[in-house]
Amino acid sequence: MSRITGMVLAVATAAAVLTASTAGALPPPAVSSAPSSAAPQPAELPREVRGGVELALADGDLLRVWAARDRRTVWAARRDASTATWSARRAILRERSLFCGDVEARTAGGAVAVLAQCDRHGYAEDQAPTASRALWSADTVTWSSYELEGEAYEEPGISPDGTHAVWPQHGRYVTRSPDGFSHHRLDAAGQEYTVTATITDTGLVSFLYGAWLEGRCRLVVLSRTGDAAPSRQELPLPHACQDVDLANADADTVWFGDVTSPAHRAVVSRSAASSPWAVSAIAPADAPGLRHERGSLHTVYATAPGLALHAVWSRGRRILRSQRYDPVTQTWAAPVVVHDAGSRRCRWADGSTAQPLGVVLLPMTCSGRNVVLTTADGNDWRALRMGRHTFGLSPDGRYVAVPGRTVTHVVSAERGVLALPLAVKGRCEVVVPDGPDAAVLLTSAGRHRGWPTVLKASSLDGWRLLSRTRLPTFAQECRGVRSSHHDLPYRFDVFSRRHGYTTRIVQRDGEWTVRRSRW
């Protein structure tokens, strides 16, 4: 499963003004059909969900595999692309005294390989699991299982046709073929930290790891079929012996570094199963031409599908500049000015989110005023003012709501930056997007009626009442709200002088409601 992400992805077109009714919620986004074999899709890691991952299957369906909150069961559920509905969850692993805390998985050819990170009699987040399970299914319905010996916590690999899979460990690995599971030992001398492995349709395993040998570090690739003597490659890759990640994105592509960050991720790949491995892309943060600024407006990164990677920074905290990365030449272009804050001095705010967003979102604070910087194409940048408020995210990260004292913006790939002429003024008012062209507001029904008390939806006539909330109101004045976006689900922390709670604005069966939990 991928780690928590940082800055990310892009917006689309230019700003617009609300011209149609936005009272209703949009239907769930349609799932795209299976990619054409004539237009192969770029390698990607599975999407992280609570306790596991979500996989895009070959036929366009989605599969979620996750560990239950009580850690006693590993569940799977499948979303049908044609009906946009999820199946009932199915238990794929449940054993007495077995506790599973997380799940890794890969898919190809309709088959799925899963690693369930498990321990006996309990599970500790800060300790390597020693009772993990390898699971495999050809159809996501019938599953086979194999108990892994010793520590096992790295993601599996799967062959393009789905018939073979591999689960790497320290100095060994387990494979699955049409003949079943088998265990293999390997002389991985000098192995440091993480490891990954891939497997081909013929069962050729490539075992990749960082090794410190003879006073120097290198990335080592050992390749073999069955238990034959392996061939060996050594690749020049900086930091291969540091505590960084290796993760296979598909059978011929491995990511190295901070695999959740396009700026800090190198790519090791091969053109075909019979070809040697090579460093096909260095980490952009190590590429020539980049200005590495430090301090309050240090260099940060933003990108999206169809949009080049950009580095944004400022030397004096007033004028922000951006550099565009060229993946062909693997160099950075000269900096250009993207925002001038005038007399205000800016610093970056926390923009890390639990998963990549569907829009560029670079939050900052300029002389006490919250601002988000965004772009559709990397050329035209906009700074959206939020005052002292915070932004709101949709559950899937596709949309962002940016509140303002006169205008509320909704940022999306479909509509770009859409301006809703609706004000957000109260100290503790928060907004979440309702699709690409609408928003929902959590607010108070009146100054002396406590806060918060009502939910409202955007409309042509202003904010209209949706429902009253059952949230506790503060005896003292609400002091503020923080956006809680480091993990899923996205939520807000609401607080007064001494008390507070966490709240989520969610849509259930077409109706908006508020959920809360205490700190």
Side-chain angles (χ1 to χ4, degrees):
M1 177 171 52
S2 58
R3 274 66 171 174
I4 292 179
T5 57
M7 305 293 176
V8 289
L9 308 190
V11 302
T13 54
V17 178
L18 181 63
T19 59
S21 175
T22 60
L26 293 181
V31 179
S32 60
S33 59
S36 168
S37 58
Q41 299 300 302
E44 292 292 341
L45 297 185
R47 190 173 78 90
E48 180 182 344
V49 298
R50 182 188 291 272
V53 292
E54 182 179 275
L55 304 164
L57 301 176
D59 61 0
D61 287 5
L62 298 178
L63 181 74
R64 285 183 183 173
V65 189
W66 73 98
R69 292 192 182 188
D70 65 4
R71 297 175 173 169
R72 303 304 303 273
T73 307
V74 174
W75 299 100
R78 183 164 179 159
R79 183 182 187 273
D80 187 290
S82 61
T83 63
T85 58
W86 286 94
S87 69
R89 65 182 183 178
R90 176 191 301 268
I92 64 173
L93 179 63
R94 182 189 290 135
E95 292 183 14
R96 185 176 181 179
S97 302
L98 190 68
F99 292 78
C100 303
D102 211 344
V103 171
E104 307 274 3
R106 294 293 187 269
T107 183
V112 178
V114 171
L115 173 79
Q117 300 179 12
C118 308
D119 262 327
R120 290 289 181 188
H121 310 295
Y123 186 88
E125 295 283 354
D126 59 349
Q127 297 180 16
T130 59
S132 296
R133 295 293 191 275
L135 299 105
W136 180 87
S137 176
D139 56 9
T140 73
V141 175
T142 302
W143 294 82
S144 55
S145 175
Y146 183 89
E147 183 173 357
L148 300 172
E149 299 178 7
E151 297 180 357
Y153 45 84
E154 303 291 359
E155 79 285 345
I158 192 168
S159 63
D161 66 4
T163 61
H164 292 74
V166 58
W167 290 261
Q169 296 176 258
H170 190 91
R172 55 185 165 178
Y173 57 89
V174 166
T175 59
R176 189 273 168 197
S177 72
D179 296 328
F181 291 92
S182 58
H183 181 268
H184 306 266
R185 292 194 176 275
L186 193 67
D187 182 10
Q191 182 179 340
E192 298 274 350
Y193 298 110
T194 62
V195 60
T196 195
T198 69
I199 192 167
T200 69
D201 293 341
T202 61
L204 174 67
V205 171
S206 291
F207 188 89
L208 297 88
Y209 63 97
W212 187 266
L213 295 169
E214 300 177 351
R216 65 189 181 95
C217 181
R218 73 290 307 268
L219 182 71
V220 176
V221 185
L222 301 178
S223 299
R224 70 176 181 182
T225 302
D227 291 315
S231 64
R232 180 185 179 92
Q233 283 184 262
E234 294 184 4
L235 303 180
L237 200 59
H239 321 302
C241 293
Q242 297 181 10
D243 189 8
V244 295
D245 290 331
L246 275 169
N248 71 77
D250 60 31
D252 299 315
T253 309
V254 168
W255 291 354
F256 171 84
D258 180 353
V259 299
T260 64
S261 167
H264 297 92
R265 182 176 69 218
V267 179
V268 178
S269 64
R270 58 187 176 187
S271 57
S274 59
S275 302
W277 291 88
V279 179
S280 54
I282 62 175
D286 297 329
L290 179 63
R291 291 280 296 272
H292 284 286
E293 292 295 333
R294 302 181 183 275
S296 297
L297 275 172
H298 56 275
T299 304
V300 299
Y301 303 92
T303 188
L307 182 69
L309 179 68
H310 286 76
V312 183
W313 48 268
S314 174
R315 174 174 292 181
R317 298 173 58 188
R318 291 188 175 93
I319 298 177
L320 280 74
R321 291 178 168 83
S322 172
Q323 291 181 260
R324 183 190 299 264
Y325 184 67
D326 185 341
V328 176
T329 63
Q330 299 191 50
T331 58
W332 291 91
V336 296
V337 174
V338 295
H339 178 62
D340 188 341
S343 61
R344 298 184 183 275
R345 295 174 65 85
C346 301
R347 60 178 177 83
W348 293 122
D350 182 10
S352 59
T353 57
Q355 65 184 38
L357 303 181
V359 298
V360 164
L361 183 71
L362 298 181
M364 56 186 175
T365 301
C366 298
S367 300
R369 304 287 181 87
N370 295 333
V371 176
V372 294
L373 194 64
T374 187
T375 182
D377 56 10
N379 296 317
D380 297 321
W381 293 74
R382 295 192 62 186
L384 307 178
R385 299 177 181 177
M386 294 187 292
R388 298 186 180 276
H389 294 93
T390 185
F391 56 84
L393 304 174
S394 62
D396 58 7
R398 292 178 60 189
Y399 312 117
V400 177
V402 181
R405 293 189 63 83
T406 58
V407 174
T408 294
H409 294 95
V410 178
V411 188
S412 70
E414 295 94 321
R415 302 292 299 274
V417 181
L418 185 73
L420 307 179
L422 303 171
V424 178
K425 297 181 178 180
R427 181 196 299 269
C428 291
E429 290 182 340
V430 293
V431 177
V432 295
D434 180 7
D437 52 11
V440 173
L441 172 72
L442 178 62
T443 184
S444 172
R447 182 176 181 182
H448 301 293
R449 299 182 186 179
W451 192 98
T453 57
V454 295
L455 273 178
K456 295 185 177 182
S458 60
S459 72
L460 289 174
D461 300 321
W463 295 110
R464 66 177 182 86
L465 180 66
L466 279 179
S467 63
R468 298 191 179 276
T469 72
R470 297 181 179 179
L471 296 174
T473 56
F474 297 120
Q476 298 174 326
E477 181 184 10
C478 175
R479 302 290 294 178
V481 174
R482 292 187 295 260
S483 179
S484 186
H485 47 258
H486 297 110
D487 53 11
L488 297 173
Y490 298 124
R491 54 199 184 274
F492 298 97
D493 296 327
V494 184
F495 56 95
S496 63
R497 293 183 183 275
R498 296 182 180 180
H499 305 285
Y501 54 86
T502 296
T503 184
R504 292 187 292 133
I505 306 172
V506 296
Q507 193 175 33
R508 294 287 184 268
D509 299 323
E511 299 292 333
W512 284 95
T513 185
V514 181
R515 305 283 179 86
R516 69 113 179 175
S517 60
R518 294 188 182 277
W519 284 356

